[in-house]
Amino acid sequence: MSDNRPNIILLMTDQQRWDTLGCYGNKFVRTPSLDKMAANGVRFENCFTPWSLCTPARATMWTGVLAHEHKITYNIYGVDDIIAEKCPHDQTLFSLLQENGYDTGYIGKWHLGDCDPGYFNHWDGYNSLEPHWRNGKIGGEYVPDTQTDTFIDYLKGRKNNNKPFCVVNGYYPPHDMVYPPYEMFTAPEEFYEGYRNAGVPFPGYYASVSNIDYNVGRIMSALDECELKNTIVIFFSDHGENFRSRNPGHKASCTDDSIRIPLIVYSPDNVSGSRIINDLTGLEDLMPTILELAGIPLPQHLHGHSFAGSLTENPENSKREYYYIENIDYNNNMPQRAIRADKWKLIVNQWDLTVKDYCTGNSLYDLSRDPEENINLYYDAEHTNTALELIHMLRSRSIELKDYLGCDLADNALLETRKRQERSCNGVEHNG
């Protein structure tokens, strides 16, 4: 296998919404490095996480399968290697890369176990719940800054090494570590300029976004200084942030504020720059994409699709008509499934056994007119056909994925719709 294969750098943040970057339309945030990266690379306009919680999302990134198959549906602590313990597949992105001649490295937040899982040549990771400040001393050394120092040292060590590598730099921010959320100690003081006392909600959140952008700029400069040609840089987050507008936990909802994330790919040697991809894309697509870029055959069990062709102005033959989402709702601890199309979103809940005739709480949003997802149209008779169409999409995809719980939720939604139509015919209204 040729060693002209590209190096791959994965820059990952935690809990970063897609709309926190200037290149995604934010008018007040300061993110010049990432905006420049997007302007000269490929920006994915519609990228999503399949489960808006750290550990389930990260397990999907590195195994290429959705949570109902890798069996990890909660944040995990106190376990050495959760993928090895729970997932039925023994292959990960990094084990396959390593087996096929790549050096692999991980620096930063891992959140898939307390120990090195064994398929990294360089390991400087940790599980979670570490402070953003070194040794917890606020105002001292900020961990994203020192972590970037470590990452740059890694890149310098690759300067005269011709072996291809794949390395992850996993930042913990903008995820908060203090309560109340995103207050003055979330990021170094100088990054609050323009956010504090400026009418910007949660200034600490955006201060940490700007700090990450600063550190991304440092990494891009180091790449040039080390003359690491033939390197692909991918920037993304594990999930979004709803600022507790949906539930008490900042995330774990199927709305776009929790599931929609940034995805930027940059490489002067491998990527046709200054492009925007509108295709529906997800974190499960990372593993097949990276394997294809590395020239490694794809395992048959993967749930995602490679978007490698889209990086060279070669559009994929098959585009998603909709995106499939799994979740457990923090508000009532009930499983959910959702379909996110270009215009519509459907969210269905587990059958509510306290209601004899039908479940409640399902949602339908017209994203073209209500992108904030505040107006639930599910129980409006004029939108019943749209809901039914999306329920059938959900059912079809759940069968394809062998997500039997998802199939049950779709069947329940179909039954609920039928019962509601019968009640309507009988002159009994349902107020949702």
Side-chain angles (χ1 to χ4, degrees):
M1 190 171 285
S2 171
D3 273 344
N4 289 325
R5 295 174 294 166
N7 306 314
I8 299 164
I9 291 176
L10 302 172
L11 304 178
M12 178 173 61
T13 60
D14 192 313
Q15 207 157 298
Q16 184 172 2
R17 299 161 59 107
W18 90 99
D19 58 0
T20 55
L21 302 178
C23 58
Y24 281 95
N26 190 300
K27 301 300 184 184
F28 63 81
V29 75
R30 297 186 314 281
T31 51
S33 299
L34 286 162
D35 295 345
K36 181 179 178 180
M37 183 175 163
N40 294 287
V42 177
R43 175 169 64 84
F44 287 77
E45 181 68 19
N46 294 295
C47 184
F48 303 94
T49 183
W51 192 300
S52 58
L53 195 64
C54 295
T55 303
R58 290 160 186 258
T60 289
M61 291 175 207
W62 311 138
T63 66
V65 298
L66 299 182
H68 72 272
E69 184 158 332
H70 63 54
K71 312 299 183 187
I72 302 166
T73 58
Y74 288 95
N75 283 342
I76 302 296
Y77 307 93
V79 176
D80 286 349
D81 183 352
I82 190 60
I83 291 178
E85 181 173 305
K86 299 275 283 188
C87 184
H89 303 292
D90 59 1
Q91 292 176 323
T92 67
L93 169 63
F94 305 107
S95 63
L96 285 171
L97 286 168
Q98 196 177 62
E99 289 166 12
N100 285 274
Y102 268 75
D103 276 348
T104 56
Y106 200 99
I107 297 169
K109 182 180 175 182
W110 172 240
H111 213 165
L112 288 165
D114 292 333
C115 300
D116 176 357
Y119 34 73
F120 292 106
N121 301 92
H122 176 93
W123 172 259
D124 193 6
Y126 61 89
N127 190 47
S128 186
L129 301 181
E130 295 291 328
H132 289 345
W133 299 90
R134 187 69 65 191
N135 300 319
K137 296 179 179 178
I138 295 171
E141 291 183 312
Y142 191 53
V143 170
D145 294 344
T146 58
Q147 181 177 320
T148 301
D149 294 340
T150 301
F151 193 81
I152 290 173
D153 287 342
Y154 176 89
L155 295 180
K156 289 178 179 178
R158 305 299 310 187
K159 187 173 181 179
N160 298 314
N161 189 332
N162 293 324
K163 191 176 182 182
F165 66 87
C166 176
V167 60
V168 181
N169 191 17
Y171 290 113
Y172 205 156
H175 191 304
D176 64 318
M177 273 300 297
V178 290
Y179 186 85
Y182 308 119
E183 50 104 275
M184 64 181 295
F185 303 128
T186 301
E189 183 73 21
E190 62 268 27
F191 291 96
Y192 280 80
E193 184 179 351
Y195 304 133
R196 183 172 286 151
N197 299 320
V200 175
F202 309 107
Y205 184 82
Y206 291 97
S208 60
V209 168
S210 286
N211 173 268
I212 288 168
D213 181 84
Y214 158 74
N215 281 306
V216 169
R218 293 176 60 206
I219 290 168
M220 301 305 284
S221 295
L223 270 178
D224 291 338
E225 292 169 10
C226 295
E227 298 181 341
L228 289 172
K229 306 294 185 182
N230 194 25
T231 297
I232 299 172
V233 182
I234 305 176
F235 176 87
F236 60 99
S237 186
D238 59 353
H239 56 78
E241 159 70 78
N242 65 39
F243 298 120
R244 296 185 175 175
S245 62
R246 311 289 182 175
N247 55 43
H250 292 264
K251 47 207 169 190
S253 66
C254 296
T255 47
D256 271 16
D257 42 23
S258 291
I259 67 168
R260 195 171 171 187
I261 54 175
L263 174 63
I264 302 169
V265 183
Y266 171 83
S267 175
D269 301 313
N270 298 278
V271 171
S272 300
S274 303
R275 298 178 56 238
I276 298 173
I277 303 296
N278 290 306
D279 300 352
L280 300 174
T281 309
L283 290 180
E284 67 268 41
D285 300 331
L286 282 175
M287 182 170 173
T289 299
I290 294 167
L291 290 177
E292 182 175 346
L293 291 170
I296 300 171
L298 306 187
Q300 294 299 308
H301 66 269
L302 300 185
H303 288 154
H305 309 294
S306 171
F307 55 77
S310 297
L311 303 178
T312 55
E313 297 186 308
N314 231 351
E316 296 180 73
N317 293 327
S318 59
K319 296 182 180 180
R320 281 190 180 92
E321 183 180 0
Y322 52 83
Y323 188 75
Y324 189 84
I325 303 140
E326 304 176 345
N327 186 48
I328 294 176
D329 184 7
Y330 271 163
N331 291 316
N332 50 28
N333 203 37
M334 280 194 177
Q336 292 180 318
R337 295 295 184 266
I339 287 290
R340 206 282 191 187
D342 287 334
K343 181 178 179 180
W344 293 97
K345 178 180 290 174
L346 170 78
I347 304 172
V348 298
N349 292 284
Q350 188 178 49
W351 183 266
D352 187 349
L353 296 178
T354 65
V355 180
K356 294 182 179 179
D357 292 324
Y358 45 77
C359 63
T360 60
N362 294 345
S363 303
L364 177 71
Y365 299 111
D366 182 349
L367 300 175
S368 65
R369 301 179 64 186
D370 176 32
E372 297 81 16
E373 297 170 76
N374 288 326
I375 304 170
N376 185 2
L377 302 175
Y378 185 82
Y379 298 101
D380 288 1
E382 64 182 291
H383 294 103
T384 298
N385 288 338
T386 298
L388 284 170
E389 181 181 354
L390 291 166
I391 294 168
H392 282 292
M393 287 181 181
L394 177 70
R395 189 177 191 279
S396 175
R397 182 60 175 155
S398 63
I399 293 172
E400 182 182 0
L401 292 167
K402 298 182 180 178
D403 176 16
Y404 302 117
L405 176 56
C407 189
D408 286 345
L409 299 189
D411 285 341
N412 290 339
L414 290 172
L415 176 61
E416 178 271 328
T417 303
R418 257 197 325 268
K419 287 182 174 291
R420 184 156 41 89
Q421 287 176 318
E422 291 172 1
R423 286 170 174 266
S424 179
C425 291
N426 293 329
V428 178
E429 293 186 357
H430 171 51
N431 61 17

